[in-house]
Amino acid sequence: MQRACRSCSLHELCLPLGVSDTDIDLLEKIVHRSRPLPRGKYLFREGDPFTSIFVARSGAVKSFTVGQDGSEQIIGFHLPGELLGLDGLTQGVHAASARTLETVSVCEVPFERLEETARQVPALQHQLLRLMSREITKREEQLLSLGKQAPERRLAVLLLSLSVRFSQRGYSATRFLLPMARIDIANFLGLAAETVSRLLRRLQDTQVLAIDGRAVDILNLPELRALAGAEPEEPAREACR
Amino acid sequence: MQRACRSCSLHELCLPLGVSDTDIDLLEKIVHRSRPLPRGKYLFREGDPFTSIFVARSGAVKSFTVGQDGSEQIIGFHLPGELLGLDGLTQGVHAASARTLETVSVCEVPFERLEETARQVPALQHQLLRLMSREITKREEQLLSLGKQAPERRLAVLLLSLSVRFSQRGYSATRFLLPMARIDIANFLGLAAETVSRLLRRLQDTQVLAIDGRAVDILNLPELRALAGAEPEEPAREACR
DNA sequence: CGACCACTTGATCCCTATCAAAAGATGTGG
DNA sequence: CCACATCTTTTGATAGGGATCAAGTGGTCG
């Protein structure tokens, strides 16, 4: 248990990257590892005082804000090793809520103590800054995808993003289970659930992927990449003219 | 010149916030202050090696990526005191380009030396982390606005954001000059330039604001706030039914 | 003064949201 | 283990809004 971070399979994606074994000891001392949380539980809520950041060891989490009409606005999906809650530091309260999409094991890292430790361990400071930078980059990519791309491309970008992230975590890049419902995908992409359903149908009809419920099988990865933005206009669409 | 940061009017918005006068000396030693850059110059380009972050002392900057068809995809507009280039740390190269929208005076902060100094000065480390957190929050807000809101609301959100940011910098919250062209606004909001033009017309027709070229005068700030998202549905629209 | 942009205004078409309904999945209690 | 209720997903039909195409206006800089 004391060597938790060192033996964690997410070592290379998470805070310990680049930190020496002896320094990881310092990090491990401040990390709280909780028991598994069932689906639908909150890690934190919008407006809660910001004291810690969180990382899932296993299981996916969604983050979202709630409009005054009560509707969820999904900001992102977080796989194991991806930091959660960093947006709370600015205001001192969490800017979004985070809820588990499935059974999730989380690590909680008290932020003040992390800051202290980072001062003593340059490599940890650097990795923390790098991970924050990654969060910025990630949101910029989302911004480009959501703000300016066609619905089909947005969906392709999301599927590809999941594919890449699953493969970084040692899972198949072409066969995986979606951790979220269609309606969550739609909400995240700024589309109607019906549109997502129809887009997925089209992707199946064109042999790009096969879907059974939440099980995705990417049959034509190059084509999915193309749809996600490799070239300006979709190439194979004779039937539409 | 040596006391540049301390006497800077952006003191409260920028890296020095919360740092003691003696420690600001350490920061000032590593900051390069350039002569004013004319409109249309690059601070850095996508793919450039990441070595520094930038802050404008005066003048606005846009950041954007370029699709392989050569089209700009504007990610954000940056007013004085807002950090630029933090998204480059993850990959070691800048994730976007930054170009001046008008004459701009910039400070360049070499990142490695900033990291070192932050280790020695806890308040600086904290403020750096806070500012990175703000960049994350800012992009999340953009994400919510761009991804899920109606065009009219997106525009209202942008105008309101500029209003708030100008007033934080000591300018009027209701009368200001847009630093960017309509086409940039459209690109940023994921809309056609024609749509932006029509939306602005509607906002003028409803007495929410007056526009002459790039000069904006917000006549009805509460209504603009309402349009930007205070309540689920727009309230005063009898003429449309 | 003319050329080049940025901006505005108008007309049309396509795409996606919306409404509606059915089919499928999930879970609960009898 | 089944029957029922609820929720998710799919499919269909319709209408509206914004992109696009097109033309015209206005401003700026040489």
Side-chain angles (χ1 to χ4, degrees):
Chain A
M1 199 63 168
Q2 192 62 276
R3 309 174 60 90
C5 284
R6 246 180 288 180
S7 60
C8 180
S9 66
L10 300 165
H11 193 281
E12 295 289 303
L13 295 165
C14 193
L15 283 166
L17 175 63
V19 179
S20 71
D21 280 5
T22 53
D23 286 335
I24 288 185
D25 285 343
L26 294 171
L27 175 60
E28 282 173 350
K29 283 203 184 96
I30 65 174
V31 174
H32 301 312
R33 321 179 90 227
S34 80
R35 76 183 63 189
L37 252 57
R39 181 177 173 284
K41 294 292 178 192
Y42 283 88
L43 270 57
F44 51 82
R45 291 171 193 252
E46 195 176 345
D48 282 354
F50 170 82
T51 55
S52 298
I53 60 174
F54 298 83
V55 199
R57 289 193 301 282
S58 68
V61 177
K62 70 174 169 184
S63 62
F64 59 96
T65 61
V66 179
Q68 62 276 73
D69 58 346
S71 66
E72 272 186 22
Q73 313 273 301
I74 297 180
I75 294 172
F77 303 111
H78 307 261
L79 299 191
E82 295 173 342
L83 268 47
L84 269 155
L86 281 169
D87 55 5
L89 178 58
T90 330
Q91 305 284 355
V93 296
H94 283 289
S97 305
R99 192 156 28 151
T100 55
L101 286 166
E102 48 197 341
T103 303
V104 169
S105 302
V106 287
C107 294
E108 178 177 354
V109 190
F111 197 77
E112 272 192 27
R113 304 187 63 183
L114 179 59
E115 251 185 284
E116 284 167 34
T117 311
R119 235 175 284 136
Q120 300 158 32
V121 183
L124 180 61
Q125 185 195 42
H126 187 71
Q127 177 63 358
L128 175 59
L129 291 169
R130 261 178 48 94
L131 290 177
M132 292 193 81
S133 173
R134 184 202 283 175
E135 292 301 307
I136 296 173
T137 312
K138 189 170 147 188
R139 280 162 185 76
E140 279 180 359
E141 285 166 0
Q142 281 177 35
L143 217 53
L144 290 173
S145 167
L146 292 194
K148 310 186 204 295
Q149 305 302 340
E152 185 177 47
R153 181 162 293 189
R154 297 187 207 179
L155 182 59
V157 167
L158 173 62
L159 290 171
L160 210 56
S161 163
L162 288 171
S163 164
V164 169
R165 288 147 76 196
F166 277 124
S167 86
Q168 285 171 343
R169 282 156 186 78
Y171 300 106
S172 167
T174 55
R175 303 177 67 119
F176 49 84
L177 285 177
L178 295 172
M180 73 295 282
R182 298 281 189 281
I183 198 173
D184 284 337
I185 294 178
N187 185 323
F188 174 66
L189 296 179
L191 303 171
E194 294 92 328
T195 304
V196 171
S197 186
R198 280 183 254 265
L199 289 173
L200 287 174
R201 164 126 306 285
R202 203 184 332 160
L203 289 174
Q204 289 182 91
D205 291 345
T206 54
Q207 306 289 320
V208 176
L209 40 87
I211 299 196
D212 179 24
R214 292 192 175 184
V216 174
D217 191 350
I218 301 177
L219 302 175
N220 189 343
L221 191 54
E223 178 63 12
L224 186 63
R225 283 214 189 87
L227 290 172
E231 76 299 290
E233 217 47 46
E234 57 268 272
R237 292 273 297 283
E238 292 90 12
C240 285
R241 195 117 292 271
Chain B
M1 201 61 168
Q2 192 61 276
R3 306 173 62 89
C5 286
R6 249 181 284 179
S7 60
C8 181
S9 65
L10 300 165
H11 194 282
E12 294 290 301
L13 294 165
C14 192
L15 283 166
L17 176 62
V19 179
S20 71
D21 280 4
T22 53
D23 286 335
I24 288 185
D25 285 343
L26 294 172
L27 176 60
E28 282 173 351
K29 283 203 184 96
I30 66 174
V31 174
H32 301 313
R33 321 178 89 227
S34 81
R35 74 183 64 189
L37 252 55
R39 180 177 173 285
K41 295 292 178 193
Y42 284 88
L43 271 56
F44 51 84
R45 292 170 194 251
E46 195 177 344
D48 283 354
F50 170 82
T51 55
S52 298
I53 60 174
F54 298 82
V55 200
R57 289 193 301 282
S58 68
V61 177
K62 70 174 169 183
S63 62
F64 58 96
T65 61
V66 178
Q68 61 276 74
D69 58 347
S71 67
E72 272 185 24
Q73 313 272 301
I74 297 181
I75 293 172
F77 303 112
H78 307 260
L79 299 190
E82 296 173 343
L83 267 47
L84 270 155
L86 281 169
D87 55 3
L89 178 58
T90 329
Q91 304 284 356
V93 296
H94 283 289
S97 305
R99 191 157 29 152
T100 55
L101 286 166
E102 48 197 339
T103 303
V104 170
S105 300
V106 288
C107 295
E108 177 178 354
V109 190
F111 197 78
E112 271 191 28
R113 303 188 63 183
L114 179 59
E115 252 186 284
E116 284 167 32
T117 311
R119 235 175 284 136
Q120 300 158 32
V121 183
L124 180 61
Q125 184 195 41
H126 187 71
Q127 178 63 358
L128 175 58
L129 291 169
R130 260 178 50 93
L131 289 177
M132 291 193 81
S133 173
R134 184 203 283 174
E135 292 301 306
I136 296 173
T137 312
K138 190 170 146 189
R139 280 163 185 75
E140 280 180 359
E141 285 166 0
Q142 282 177 35
L143 217 53
L144 289 174
S145 168
L146 293 193
K148 310 184 204 296
Q149 305 302 340
E152 185 177 47
R153 181 163 292 190
R154 297 187 206 179
L155 182 59
V157 167
L158 173 62
L159 290 171
L160 210 57
S161 163
L162 288 171
S163 164
V164 169
R165 287 147 77 196
F166 277 124
S167 86
Q168 284 171 343
R169 281 155 187 79
Y171 300 106
S172 166
T174 56
R175 303 177 66 120
F176 50 84
L177 286 176
L178 295 171
M180 73 295 282
R182 298 281 190 282
I183 198 173
D184 285 337
I185 295 178
N187 186 323
F188 175 66
L189 296 179
L191 302 171
E194 293 93 327
T195 303
V196 170
S197 186
R198 280 183 254 265
L199 290 173
L200 287 174
R201 165 125 307 284
R202 207 191 320 169
L203 289 175
Q204 289 182 90
D205 292 344
T206 53
Q207 306 288 318
V208 176
L209 41 88
I211 299 196
D212 179 24
R214 291 191 175 183
V216 174
D217 191 351
I218 301 176
L219 303 174
N220 189 343
L221 191 54
E223 177 63 13
L224 187 63
R225 283 213 189 86
L227 289 172
E231 76 299 290
E233 216 46 45
E234 55 269 271
R237 291 273 298 283
E238 293 89 12
C240 286
R241 196 120 293 270

